[in-house]
Amino acid sequence: DGGITQSPKYLFRKEGQNVTLSCEQNLNHDAMYWYRQDPGQGLRLIYYSQIVNDFQKGDIAEGYSVSREKKESFPLTVTSAQKNPTAFYLCASSRRPSGELFFGEGSRLTVL
Amino acid sequence: KNEVEQSPQNLTAQEGEFITINCSYSVGISALHWLQQHPGGGIVSLFMLSSGKKKHGRLIATINIQEKHSSLHITASHPRDSAVYICAVPYTGNQFYFGTGTSLTVIP
């Protein structure tokens, strides 16, 4: 079945550590996105990529980094520079800009 | 000011009731999306519509482009409909404004 797979589902990290969240899709979608979700707020865009080897900063990119070396994969690294990283992270993809969004199950990061 | 406003924020209904969730937006759009987020956190796309009405099972979505307003209706609500419903509109071609969501609880 086609879809988006995020891992890990839950992740605990100590302050000062970098962590990488995985996002893989087999939908053959060009566009991929990373969103952050905090209680009471709408989804906020961290980074997006429209094509391999190209990505753009979203509204809250500071403290995060991404890569897009393969069409199927769009990993997100939460660096130690991110001041408040505890949140729920969602990866999504779409076939075309502004098209139907397909989401992964999310990764919940907790900083201890 | 939020570009996408949803109401109500929270909604509790008895099983079988007809439910309406509203979404108003302030930007020009090509299409509006309705999403459903289950308690586990995963999100699924319910509708993408640019005009008129769409129906899928017990769910109906309508949009009025002139009034910049969309509604999501659930007929004969069921406890499994309990979820957060999110409205989203695209902008700049590849980004979206998201509403903060409507949390629906359907009581048996």
Side-chain angles (χ1 to χ4, degrees):
Chain A
D1 288 333
I4 297 183
T5 302
Q6 284 188 242
S7 62
K9 193 170 177 67
Y10 299 95
L11 185 60
F12 297 89
R13 164 198 124 171
K14 294 181 180 179
E15 283 190 18
Q17 288 181 334
N18 293 353
V19 295
T20 297
L21 308 180
S22 171
C23 178
E24 303 279 333
Q25 55 102 356
N26 60 4
L27 300 166
N28 200 33
H29 287 172
D30 286 314
M32 296 188 75
Y33 313 81
W34 273 106
Y35 293 100
R36 170 178 171 143
Q37 188 177 40
D38 294 284
Q41 296 191 40
L43 296 172
R44 292 186 292 168
L45 181 65
I46 305 172
Y47 270 97
Y48 68 97
S49 168
Q50 299 184 61
I51 197 168
V52 174
N53 292 323
D54 183 61
F55 47 83
Q56 309 296 326
K57 291 183 179 180
D59 301 319
I60 56 166
E62 184 175 352
Y64 299 98
S65 66
V66 293
S67 63
R68 187 84 187 274
E69 296 177 2
K70 298 186 300 181
K71 188 175 186 177
E72 305 80 26
S73 180
F74 192 40
L76 173 74
T77 296
V78 184
T79 75
S80 56
Q82 169 50 235
K83 298 304 179 189
N84 185 22
T86 294
F88 188 59
Y89 293 88
L90 284 153
C91 179
S93 72
S94 64
R95 182 176 296 111
R96 57 177 177 81
S98 307
E100 183 181 6
L101 286 168
F102 291 79
F103 285 86
E105 289 295 307
S107 294
R108 190 168 298 279
L109 172 63
T110 302
V111 174
L112 305 173
Chain B
K1 179 185 182 299
N2 293 328
E3 288 78 6
V4 178
E5 299 275 2
Q6 286 185 239
S7 64
Q9 283 190 316
N10 297 285
L11 182 56
T12 300
Q14 290 291 132
E15 183 174 356
E17 285 186 8
F18 181 84
I19 290 165
T20 296
I21 299 170
N22 296 299
C23 175
S24 295
Y25 53 92
S26 58
V27 296
I29 64 170
S30 56
L32 180 141
H33 300 245
W34 280 104
L35 311 171
Q36 180 190 52
Q37 185 170 30
H38 282 283
I43 295 177
V44 296
S45 175
L46 296 175
F47 295 103
M48 185 174 72
L49 69 166
S50 55
S51 65
K53 180 169 76 173
K54 285 191 174 181
K55 184 175 188 291
H56 184 232
R58 295 179 294 105
L59 273 59
I60 303 167
T62 64
I63 189 168
N64 185 319
I65 297 293
Q66 287 74 25
E67 294 185 4
K68 295 188 175 181
H69 181 269
S70 176
S71 293
L72 178 68
H73 306 285
I74 304 175
T75 62
S77 60
H78 190 276
R80 64 175 175 267
D81 297 325
S82 298
V84 176
Y85 293 85
I86 301 169
C87 171
V89 298
Y91 74 103
T92 70
N94 221 339
Q95 301 186 51
F96 292 83
Y97 290 120
F98 293 89
T100 55
T102 295
S103 180
L104 171 65
T105 302
V106 181
I107 300 171

mmCIF file of all heavy atoms in Angstrom, chain A residues 35-81:
data_model
loop_
_atom_site.group_PDB
_atom_site.id
_atom_site.type_symbol
_atom_site.label_atom_id
_atom_site.label_comp_id
_atom_site.label_asym_id
_atom_site.label_seq_id
_atom_site.Cartn_x
_atom_site.Cartn_y
_atom_site.Cartn_z
ATOM 1 N N TYR A 35 5.923 19.552 9.179
ATOM 2 C CA TYR A 35 5.133 20.469 10.001
ATOM 3 C C TYR A 35 5.366 20.162 11.473
ATOM 4 O O TYR A 35 5.632 19.028 11.858
ATOM 5 C CB TYR A 35 3.629 20.306 9.721
ATOM 6 C CG TYR A 35 3.216 20.727 8.354
ATOM 7 C CD1 TYR A 35 3.019 19.787 7.340
ATOM 8 C CD2 TYR A 35 2.993 22.071 8.052
ATOM 9 C CE1 TYR A 35 2.618 20.169 6.073
ATOM 10 C CE2 TYR A 35 2.591 22.462 6.783
ATOM 11 C CZ TYR A 35 2.412 21.506 5.806
ATOM 12 O OH TYR A 35 2.015 21.897 4.545
ATOM 13 N N ARG A 36 5.195 21.192 12.265
ATOM 14 C CA ARG A 36 5.235 21.051 13.714
ATOM 15 C C ARG A 36 3.852 21.380 14.246
ATOM 16 O O ARG A 36 3.213 22.344 13.799
ATOM 17 C CB ARG A 36 6.269 22.005 14.297
ATOM 18 C CG ARG A 36 6.239 22.113 15.809
ATOM 19 C CD ARG A 36 7.315 23.019 16.342
ATOM 20 N NE ARG A 36 7.112 23.257 17.760
ATOM 21 C CZ ARG A 36 8.097 23.352 18.641
ATOM 22 N NH1 ARG A 36 9.367 23.262 18.246
ATOM 23 N NH2 ARG A 36 7.834 23.560 19.913
ATOM 24 N N GLN A 37 3.394 20.586 15.227
ATOM 25 C CA GLN A 37 2.093 20.828 15.829
ATOM 26 C C GLN A 37 2.259 20.965 17.334
ATOM 27 O O GLN A 37 2.804 20.085 17.991
ATOM 28 C CB GLN A 37 1.119 19.691 15.508
ATOM 29 C CG GLN A 37 -0.301 19.975 15.954
ATOM 30 C CD GLN A 37 -1.261 18.869 15.559
ATOM 31 O OE1 GLN A 37 -0.936 17.689 15.635
ATOM 32 N NE2 GLN A 37 -2.462 19.238 15.127
ATOM 33 N N ASP A 38 1.785 22.083 17.857
ATOM 34 C CA ASP A 38 1.766 22.325 19.298
ATOM 35 C C ASP A 38 0.316 22.480 19.739
ATOM 36 O O ASP A 38 -0.534 22.907 18.952
ATOM 37 C CB ASP A 38 2.551 23.599 19.631
ATOM 38 C CG ASP A 38 4.029 23.462 19.329
ATOM 39 O OD1 ASP A 38 4.713 22.792 20.115
ATOM 40 O OD2 ASP A 38 4.482 23.992 18.292
ATOM 41 N N PRO A 39 0.041 22.152 20.999
ATOM 42 C CA PRO A 39 -1.349 22.221 21.486
ATOM 43 C C PRO A 39 -1.974 23.592 21.253
ATOM 44 O O PRO A 39 -1.358 24.617 21.537
ATOM 45 C CB PRO A 39 -1.204 21.918 22.976
ATOM 46 C CG PRO A 39 0.048 21.114 23.079
ATOM 47 C CD PRO A 39 0.969 21.655 22.034
ATOM 48 N N GLY A 40 -3.179 23.609 20.716
ATOM 49 C CA GLY A 40 -3.906 24.855 20.522
ATOM 50 C C GLY A 40 -3.466 25.676 19.326
ATOM 51 O O GLY A 40 -3.978 26.776 19.109
ATOM 52 N N GLN A 41 -2.513 25.167 18.570
ATOM 53 C CA GLN A 41 -2.038 25.912 17.400
ATOM 54 C C GLN A 41 -2.263 25.097 16.134
ATOM 55 O O GLN A 41 -2.298 23.873 16.167
ATOM 56 C CB GLN A 41 -0.549 26.227 17.541
ATOM 57 C CG GLN A 41 -0.215 27.133 18.705
ATOM 58 C CD GLN A 41 1.224 27.623 18.642
ATOM 59 O OE1 GLN A 41 1.723 27.937 17.568
ATOM 60 N NE2 GLN A 41 1.882 27.696 19.774
ATOM 61 N N GLY A 42 -2.367 25.807 15.022
ATOM 62 C CA GLY A 42 -2.427 25.119 13.744
ATOM 63 C C GLY A 42 -1.071 24.569 13.354
ATOM 64 O O GLY A 42 -0.046 24.900 13.958
ATOM 65 N N LEU A 43 -1.060 23.727 12.362
ATOM 66 C CA LEU A 43 0.204 23.187 11.858
ATOM 67 C C LEU A 43 1.080 24.320 11.340
ATOM 68 O O LEU A 43 0.607 25.216 10.644
ATOM 69 C CB LEU A 43 -0.069 22.197 10.732
ATOM 70 C CG LEU A 43 -0.852 20.934 11.108
ATOM 71 C CD1 LEU A 43 -1.217 20.154 9.859
ATOM 72 C CD2 LEU A 43 -0.035 20.085 12.051
ATOM 73 N N ARG A 44 2.354 24.241 11.678
ATOM 74 C CA ARG A 44 3.295 25.260 11.215
ATOM 75 C C ARG A 44 4.368 24.600 10.369
ATOM 76 O O ARG A 44 4.925 23.565 10.743
ATOM 77 C CB ARG A 44 3.913 25.994 12.405
ATOM 78 C CG ARG A 44 2.900 26.864 13.163
ATOM 79 C CD ARG A 44 3.586 27.681 14.246
ATOM 80 N NE ARG A 44 4.083 26.843 15.327
ATOM 81 C CZ ARG A 44 4.913 27.271 16.272
ATOM 82 N NH1 ARG A 44 5.366 28.505 16.248
ATOM 83 N NH2 ARG A 44 5.288 26.459 17.246
ATOM 84 N N LEU A 45 4.675 25.229 9.250
ATOM 85 C CA LEU A 45 5.600 24.666 8.274
ATOM 86 C C LEU A 45 7.045 24.897 8.691
ATOM 87 O O LEU A 45 7.451 26.038 8.945
ATOM 88 C CB LEU A 45 5.339 25.286 6.908
ATOM 89 C CG LEU A 45 6.201 24.790 5.762
ATOM 90 C CD1 LEU A 45 5.917 23.317 5.477
ATOM 91 C CD2 LEU A 45 5.952 25.626 4.510
ATOM 92 N N ILE A 46 7.823 23.823 8.716
ATOM 93 C CA ILE A 46 9.243 23.917 9.048
ATOM 94 C C ILE A 46 10.064 24.026 7.756
ATOM 95 O O ILE A 46 10.823 24.965 7.576
ATOM 96 C CB ILE A 46 9.706 22.694 9.866
ATOM 97 C CG1 ILE A 46 8.844 22.510 11.120
ATOM 98 C CG2 ILE A 46 11.177 22.847 10.258
ATOM 99 C CD1 ILE A 46 9.120 21.218 11.872
ATOM 100 N N TYR A 47 9.935 23.048 6.909
ATOM 101 C CA TYR A 47 10.616 23.018 5.623
ATOM 102 C C TYR A 47 9.719 22.336 4.601
ATOM 103 O O TYR A 47 8.868 21.523 4.950
ATOM 104 C CB TYR A 47 11.928 22.215 5.702
ATOM 105 C CG TYR A 47 13.156 22.986 6.065
ATOM 106 C CD1 TYR A 47 13.612 23.018 7.379
ATOM 107 C CD2 TYR A 47 13.895 23.676 5.102
ATOM 108 C CE1 TYR A 47 14.758 23.715 7.726
ATOM 109 C CE2 TYR A 47 15.043 24.381 5.443
ATOM 110 C CZ TYR A 47 15.473 24.401 6.753
ATOM 111 O OH TYR A 47 16.604 25.099 7.089
ATOM 112 N N TYR A 48 9.929 22.653 3.334
ATOM 113 C CA TYR A 48 9.280 21.897 2.279
ATOM 114 C C TYR A 48 10.236 21.739 1.114
ATOM 115 O O TYR A 48 11.190 22.505 0.949
ATOM 116 C CB TYR A 48 7.960 22.529 1.847
ATOM 117 C CG TYR A 48 8.069 23.848 1.135
ATOM 118 C CD1 TYR A 48 8.038 23.928 -0.256
ATOM 119 C CD2 TYR A 48 8.163 25.036 1.858
ATOM 120 C CE1 TYR A 48 8.114 25.146 -0.906
ATOM 121 C CE2 TYR A 48 8.242 26.259 1.223
ATOM 122 C CZ TYR A 48 8.210 26.313 -0.157
ATOM 123 O OH TYR A 48 8.282 27.524 -0.794
ATOM 124 N N SER A 49 9.942 20.718 0.296
ATOM 125 C CA SER A 49 10.785 20.415 -0.848
ATOM 126 C C SER A 49 9.874 20.090 -2.030
ATOM 127 O O SER A 49 8.943 19.302 -1.898
ATOM 128 C CB SER A 49 11.681 19.207 -0.535
ATOM 129 O OG SER A 49 12.316 18.727 -1.713
ATOM 130 N N GLN A 50 10.166 20.705 -3.141
ATOM 131 C CA GLN A 50 9.352 20.464 -4.336
ATOM 132 C C GLN A 50 10.007 19.471 -5.281
ATOM 133 O O GLN A 50 9.349 18.941 -6.181
ATOM 134 C CB GLN A 50 9.115 21.772 -5.082
ATOM 135 C CG GLN A 50 8.364 22.803 -4.253
ATOM 136 C CD GLN A 50 8.055 24.051 -5.064
ATOM 137 O OE1 GLN A 50 7.358 23.986 -6.068
ATOM 138 N NE2 GLN A 50 8.551 25.190 -4.615
ATOM 139 N N ILE A 51 11.318 19.248 -5.066
ATOM 140 C CA ILE A 51 12.038 18.381 -5.984
ATOM 141 C C ILE A 51 13.317 17.912 -5.304
ATOM 142 O O ILE A 51 13.796 18.544 -4.351
ATOM 143 C CB ILE A 51 12.359 19.149 -7.292
ATOM 144 C CG1 ILE A 51 12.728 18.190 -8.416
ATOM 145 C CG2 ILE A 51 13.422 20.194 -7.054
ATOM 146 C CD1 ILE A 51 12.765 18.858 -9.778
ATOM 147 N N VAL A 52 13.860 16.827 -5.789
ATOM 148 C CA VAL A 52 15.096 16.293 -5.203
ATOM 149 C C VAL A 52 16.195 17.349 -5.226
ATOM 150 O O VAL A 52 16.317 18.120 -6.178
ATOM 151 C CB VAL A 52 15.522 15.030 -5.978
ATOM 152 C CG1 VAL A 52 16.886 14.537 -5.497
ATOM 153 C CG2 VAL A 52 14.491 13.931 -5.821
ATOM 154 N N ASN A 53 16.962 17.369 -4.150
ATOM 155 C CA ASN A 53 18.105 18.261 -3.987
ATOM 156 C C ASN A 53 17.720 19.734 -3.890
ATOM 157 O O ASN A 53 18.578 20.612 -4.083
ATOM 158 C CB ASN A 53 19.125 18.075 -5.117
ATOM 159 C CG ASN A 53 19.818 16.722 -5.049
ATOM 160 O OD1 ASN A 53 20.101 16.225 -3.956
ATOM 161 N ND2 ASN A 53 20.083 16.141 -6.192
ATOM 162 N N ASP A 54 16.465 19.992 -3.582
ATOM 163 C CA ASP A 54 16.024 21.372 -3.389
ATOM 164 C C ASP A 54 15.024 21.416 -2.251
ATOM 165 O O ASP A 54 14.134 20.572 -2.169
ATOM 166 C CB ASP A 54 15.375 21.915 -4.660
ATOM 167 C CG ASP A 54 14.979 23.373 -4.497
ATOM 168 O OD1 ASP A 54 15.875 24.218 -4.264
ATOM 169 O OD2 ASP A 54 13.776 23.669 -4.569
ATOM 170 N N PHE A 55 15.169 22.398 -1.358
ATOM 171 C CA PHE A 55 14.205 22.556 -0.281
ATOM 172 C C PHE A 55 14.186 24.016 0.150
ATOM 173 O O PHE A 55 15.143 24.763 -0.099
ATOM 174 C CB PHE A 55 14.526 21.645 0.910
ATOM 175 C CG PHE A 55 15.963 21.642 1.350
ATOM 176 C CD1 PHE A 55 16.456 22.620 2.198
ATOM 177 C CD2 PHE A 55 16.828 20.644 0.911
ATOM 178 C CE1 PHE A 55 17.781 22.613 2.599
ATOM 179 C CE2 PHE A 55 18.143 20.626 1.317
ATOM 180 C CZ PHE A 55 18.637 21.616 2.156
ATOM 181 N N GLN A 56 13.085 24.404 0.752
ATOM 182 C CA GLN A 56 12.860 25.790 1.136
ATOM 183 C C GLN A 56 12.488 25.876 2.609
ATOM 184 O O GLN A 56 11.791 24.997 3.129
ATOM 185 C CB GLN A 56 11.722 26.395 0.306
ATOM 186 C CG GLN A 56 11.852 26.213 -1.198
ATOM 187 C CD GLN A 56 13.055 26.926 -1.759
ATOM 188 O OE1 GLN A 56 13.433 27.989 -1.281
ATOM 189 N NE2 GLN A 56 13.665 26.335 -2.776
ATOM 190 N N LYS A 57 12.921 26.945 3.250
ATOM 191 C CA LYS A 57 12.538 27.170 4.642
ATOM 192 C C LYS A 57 11.070 27.554 4.729
ATOM 193 O O LYS A 57 10.553 28.279 3.882
ATOM 194 C CB LYS A 57 13.390 28.285 5.244
ATOM 195 C CG LYS A 57 14.844 27.927 5.437
ATOM 196 C CD LYS A 57 15.594 29.074 6.098
ATOM 197 C CE LYS A 57 17.060 28.705 6.313
ATOM 198 N NZ LYS A 57 17.812 29.813 6.962
ATOM 199 N N GLY A 58 10.447 27.064 5.795
ATOM 200 C CA GLY A 58 9.095 27.479 6.106
ATOM 201 C C GLY A 58 9.107 28.574 7.148
ATOM 202 O O GLY A 58 10.094 29.292 7.307
ATOM 203 N N ASP A 59 8.022 28.671 7.885
ATOM 204 C CA ASP A 59 7.866 29.765 8.848
ATOM 205 C C ASP A 59 8.738 29.613 10.097
ATOM 206 O O ASP A 59 9.071 30.597 10.753
ATOM 207 C CB ASP A 59 6.404 29.859 9.286
ATOM 208 C CG ASP A 59 5.479 30.099 8.107
ATOM 209 O OD1 ASP A 59 5.848 30.899 7.228
ATOM 210 O OD2 ASP A 59 4.393 29.478 8.061
ATOM 211 N N ILE A 60 9.104 28.378 10.436
ATOM 212 C CA ILE A 60 9.810 28.150 11.701
ATOM 213 C C ILE A 60 11.017 27.250 11.493
ATOM 214 O O ILE A 60 11.237 26.296 12.209
ATOM 215 C CB ILE A 60 8.857 27.547 12.760
ATOM 216 C CG1 ILE A 60 8.211 26.257 12.256
ATOM 217 C CG2 ILE A 60 7.784 28.541 13.165
ATOM 218 C CD1 ILE A 60 7.537 25.460 13.363
ATOM 219 N N ALA A 61 11.856 27.572 10.513
ATOM 220 C CA ALA A 61 12.979 26.703 10.158
ATOM 221 C C ALA A 61 14.167 26.777 11.118
ATOM 222 O O ALA A 61 15.012 25.875 11.121
ATOM 223 C CB ALA A 61 13.442 27.048 8.749
ATOM 224 N N GLU A 62 14.239 27.809 11.925
ATOM 225 C CA GLU A 62 15.411 27.974 12.792
ATOM 226 C C GLU A 62 15.555 26.802 13.748
ATOM 227 O O GLU A 62 14.616 26.438 14.464
ATOM 228 C CB GLU A 62 15.309 29.275 13.583
ATOM 229 C CG GLU A 62 16.544 29.559 14.422
ATOM 230 C CD GLU A 62 16.489 30.908 15.110
ATOM 231 O OE1 GLU A 62 15.571 31.697 14.816
ATOM 232 O OE2 GLU A 62 17.370 31.164 15.954
ATOM 233 N N GLY A 63 16.763 26.212 13.777
ATOM 234 C CA GLY A 63 17.013 25.086 14.665
ATOM 235 C C GLY A 63 16.719 23.738 14.032
ATOM 236 O O GLY A 63 16.854 22.707 14.690
ATOM 237 N N TYR A 64 16.322 23.741 12.776
ATOM 238 C CA TYR A 64 16.030 22.511 12.046
ATOM 239 C C TYR A 64 16.853 22.450 10.764
ATOM 240 O O TYR A 64 17.247 23.479 10.226
ATOM 241 C CB TYR A 64 14.547 22.450 11.661
ATOM 242 C CG TYR A 64 13.578 22.465 12.810
ATOM 243 C CD1 TYR A 64 12.960 23.665 13.197
ATOM 244 C CD2 TYR A 64 13.256 21.305 13.504
ATOM 245 C CE1 TYR A 64 12.065 23.693 14.248
ATOM 246 C CE2 TYR A 64 12.348 21.326 14.554
ATOM 247 C CZ TYR A 64 11.758 22.527 14.929
ATOM 248 O OH TYR A 64 10.870 22.544 15.969
ATOM 249 N N SER A 65 17.095 21.230 10.270
ATOM 250 C CA SER A 65 17.713 21.071 8.962
ATOM 251 C C SER A 65 17.107 19.863 8.267
ATOM 252 O O SER A 65 16.571 18.959 8.917
ATOM 253 C CB SER A 65 19.230 20.907 9.081
ATOM 254 O OG SER A 65 19.546 19.698 9.738
ATOM 255 N N VAL A 66 17.149 19.864 6.943
ATOM 256 C CA VAL A 66 16.591 18.767 6.154
ATOM 257 C C VAL A 66 17.534 18.441 5.007
ATOM 258 O O VAL A 66 18.469 19.183 4.711
ATOM 259 C CB VAL A 66 15.209 19.127 5.566
ATOM 260 C CG1 VAL A 66 14.150 19.280 6.652
ATOM 261 C CG2 VAL A 66 15.294 20.364 4.685
ATOM 262 N N SER A 67 17.258 17.324 4.362
ATOM 263 C CA SER A 67 17.932 16.968 3.126
ATOM 264 C C SER A 67 16.920 16.280 2.226
ATOM 265 O O SER A 67 15.914 15.740 2.697
ATOM 266 C CB SER A 67 19.128 16.056 3.395
ATOM 267 O OG SER A 67 18.697 14.833 3.957
ATOM 268 N N ARG A 68 17.174 16.316 0.910
ATOM 269 C CA ARG A 68 16.290 15.627 -0.035
ATOM 270 C C ARG A 68 17.177 15.016 -1.119
ATOM 271 O O ARG A 68 17.223 15.467 -2.268
ATOM 272 C CB ARG A 68 15.286 16.613 -0.649
ATOM 273 C CG ARG A 68 14.225 15.937 -1.517
ATOM 274 C CD ARG A 68 13.080 15.418 -0.767
ATOM 275 N NE ARG A 68 12.151 14.638 -1.556
ATOM 276 C CZ ARG A 68 11.135 15.145 -2.261
ATOM 277 N NH1 ARG A 68 10.956 16.457 -2.342
ATOM 278 N NH2 ARG A 68 10.323 14.340 -2.909
ATOM 279 N N GLU A 69 17.865 13.977 -0.743
ATOM 280 C CA GLU A 69 18.790 13.311 -1.666
ATOM 281 C C GLU A 69 18.061 12.316 -2.559
ATOM 282 O O GLU A 69 18.553 11.972 -3.639
ATOM 283 C CB GLU A 69 19.901 12.636 -0.875
ATOM 284 C CG GLU A 69 20.769 13.609 -0.102
ATOM 285 C CD GLU A 69 21.824 12.906 0.741
ATOM 286 O OE1 GLU A 69 21.885 11.657 0.688
ATOM 287 O OE2 GLU A 69 22.581 13.594 1.451
ATOM 288 N N LYS A 70 16.940 11.823 -2.100
ATOM 289 C CA LYS A 70 16.120 10.905 -2.874
ATOM 290 C C LYS A 70 14.682 11.396 -2.873
ATOM 291 O O LYS A 70 14.227 12.008 -1.908
ATOM 292 C CB LYS A 70 16.171 9.496 -2.270
ATOM 293 C CG LYS A 70 17.529 8.860 -2.245
ATOM 294 C CD LYS A 70 17.443 7.411 -1.753
ATOM 295 C CE LYS A 70 16.879 7.317 -0.364
ATOM 296 N NZ LYS A 70 16.811 5.915 0.130
ATOM 297 N N LYS A 71 13.958 11.082 -3.927
ATOM 298 C CA LYS A 71 12.576 11.521 -4.033
ATOM 299 C C LYS A 71 11.736 10.966 -2.882
ATOM 300 O O LYS A 71 10.821 11.606 -2.394
ATOM 301 C CB LYS A 71 11.987 11.060 -5.369
ATOM 302 C CG LYS A 71 10.624 11.607 -5.687
ATOM 303 C CD LYS A 71 10.196 11.178 -7.078
ATOM 304 C CE LYS A 71 8.891 11.832 -7.474
ATOM 305 N NZ LYS A 71 8.498 11.487 -8.861
ATOM 306 N N GLU A 72 12.071 9.752 -2.444
ATOM 307 C CA GLU A 72 11.249 9.073 -1.456
ATOM 308 C C GLU A 72 11.494 9.542 -0.031
ATOM 309 O O GLU A 72 10.707 9.270 0.865
ATOM 310 C CB GLU A 72 11.510 7.567 -1.498
ATOM 311 C CG GLU A 72 11.318 6.923 -2.857
ATOM 312 C CD GLU A 72 12.505 7.128 -3.780
ATOM 313 O OE1 GLU A 72 13.640 7.323 -3.274
ATOM 314 O OE2 GLU A 72 12.314 7.118 -5.004
ATOM 315 N N SER A 73 12.592 10.224 0.219
ATOM 316 C CA SER A 73 13.032 10.449 1.580
ATOM 317 C C SER A 73 13.246 11.929 1.884
ATOM 318 O O SER A 73 13.860 12.652 1.089
ATOM 319 C CB SER A 73 14.342 9.678 1.814
ATOM 320 O OG SER A 73 14.809 9.868 3.122
ATOM 321 N N PHE A 74 12.786 12.350 3.054
ATOM 322 C CA PHE A 74 12.909 13.761 3.453
ATOM 323 C C PHE A 74 13.121 13.818 4.971
ATOM 324 O O PHE A 74 12.235 14.195 5.733
ATOM 325 C CB PHE A 74 11.633 14.508 3.048
ATOM 326 C CG PHE A 74 11.715 16.014 3.130
ATOM 327 C CD1 PHE A 74 12.849 16.698 2.740
ATOM 328 C CD2 PHE A 74 10.620 16.758 3.575
ATOM 329 C CE1 PHE A 74 12.905 18.089 2.789
ATOM 330 C CE2 PHE A 74 10.664 18.140 3.629
ATOM 331 C CZ PHE A 74 11.816 18.808 3.236
ATOM 332 N N PRO A 75 14.314 13.464 5.447
ATOM 333 C CA PRO A 75 14.549 13.441 6.897
ATOM 334 C C PRO A 75 14.695 14.843 7.479
ATOM 335 O O PRO A 75 15.213 15.749 6.825
ATOM 336 C CB PRO A 75 15.861 12.659 7.016
ATOM 337 C CG PRO A 75 16.538 12.858 5.697
ATOM 338 C CD PRO A 75 15.446 12.968 4.681
ATOM 339 N N LEU A 76 14.255 14.971 8.720
ATOM 340 C CA LEU A 76 14.335 16.236 9.459
ATOM 341 C C LEU A 76 15.251 16.062 10.656
ATOM 342 O O LEU A 76 15.073 15.128 11.438
ATOM 343 C CB LEU A 76 12.944 16.644 9.946
ATOM 344 C CG LEU A 76 12.871 17.861 10.872
ATOM 345 C CD1 LEU A 76 13.091 19.149 10.089
ATOM 346 C CD2 LEU A 76 11.521 17.915 11.598
ATOM 347 N N THR A 77 16.235 16.935 10.781
ATOM 348 C CA THR A 77 17.090 16.925 11.961
ATOM 349 C C THR A 77 16.722 18.092 12.865
ATOM 350 O O THR A 77 16.668 19.245 12.413
ATOM 351 C CB THR A 77 18.579 17.019 11.565
ATOM 352 O OG1 THR A 77 18.940 15.855 10.816
ATOM 353 C CG2 THR A 77 19.473 17.084 12.802
ATOM 354 N N VAL A 78 16.443 17.768 14.112
ATOM 355 C CA VAL A 78 16.181 18.782 15.126
ATOM 356 C C VAL A 78 17.503 19.006 15.845
ATOM 357 O O VAL A 78 18.014 18.106 16.511
ATOM 358 C CB VAL A 78 15.097 18.307 16.100
ATOM 359 C CG1 VAL A 78 14.753 19.411 17.092
ATOM 360 C CG2 VAL A 78 13.858 17.847 15.348
ATOM 361 N N THR A 79 18.068 20.180 15.682
ATOM 362 C CA THR A 79 19.390 20.427 16.238
ATOM 363 C C THR A 79 19.294 20.991 17.649
ATOM 364 O O THR A 79 18.217 21.421 18.099
ATOM 365 C CB THR A 79 20.186 21.386 15.345
ATOM 366 O OG1 THR A 79 19.686 22.724 15.534
ATOM 367 C CG2 THR A 79 20.081 20.996 13.880
ATOM 368 N N SER A 80 20.428 21.047 18.289
ATOM 369 C CA SER A 80 20.471 21.588 19.652
ATOM 370 C C SER A 80 20.178 23.084 19.663
ATOM 371 O O SER A 80 19.921 23.663 20.708
ATOM 372 C CB SER A 80 21.840 21.322 20.282
ATOM 373 O OG SER A 80 22.867 21.855 19.467
ATOM 374 N N ALA A 81 20.194 23.709 18.496
ATOM 375 C CA ALA A 81 19.888 25.140 18.419
ATOM 376 C C ALA A 81 18.391 25.423 18.519
ATOM 377 O O ALA A 81 17.996 26.580 18.737
ATOM 378 C CB ALA A 81 20.417 25.703 17.102
#
